[in-house]
Amino acid sequence: MLRVPAFFHHLSEVLYHVLECVGVNPWVVERRRHSFLHREAAADVTYSQEGLDRTHFYFGSQTEGTTTNSIKYKLF
């Protein structure tokens, strides 16, 4: 069984706090996942109507909601 050092639990709590400060919270993450799934479906329908055999995927931090705008935030 993998043992996680106590430091990582503290780091996780700090990261959660920082993301919450810049507006990334569980609600935002869920909404972004939902919206990107709809974007994928819409793109697939568009491709299908154009007679193309393609599938569209979004992946990475953008779909997880962990990408923030390139604005500098004062956290503390």
Side-chain angles (χ1 to χ4, degrees), residues 8 13 17 20-21 26 29 36 39 44 54 56 62 71 73:
F8 287 109
E13 290 174 3
H17 175 71
E20 183 85 21
C21 286
V29 171
F36 275 88
R39 286 181 181 192
D44 290 346
R54 293 184 183 170
H56 198 89
Q62 195 172 37
I71 299 172
Y73 293 96

Side-chain angles (χ1 to χ4, degrees), residues 46-73:
T46 302
Y47 291 145
S48 176
Q49 289 177 344
E50 293 174 354
L52 300 172
D53 185 24
R54 293 184 183 170
T55 304
H56 198 89
F57 294 104
Y58 288 100
F59 58 92
S61 60
Q62 195 172 37
T63 60
E64 293 300 314
T66 56
T67 302
T68 58
N69 293 332
S70 59
I71 299 172
K72 294 184 179 181
Y73 293 96

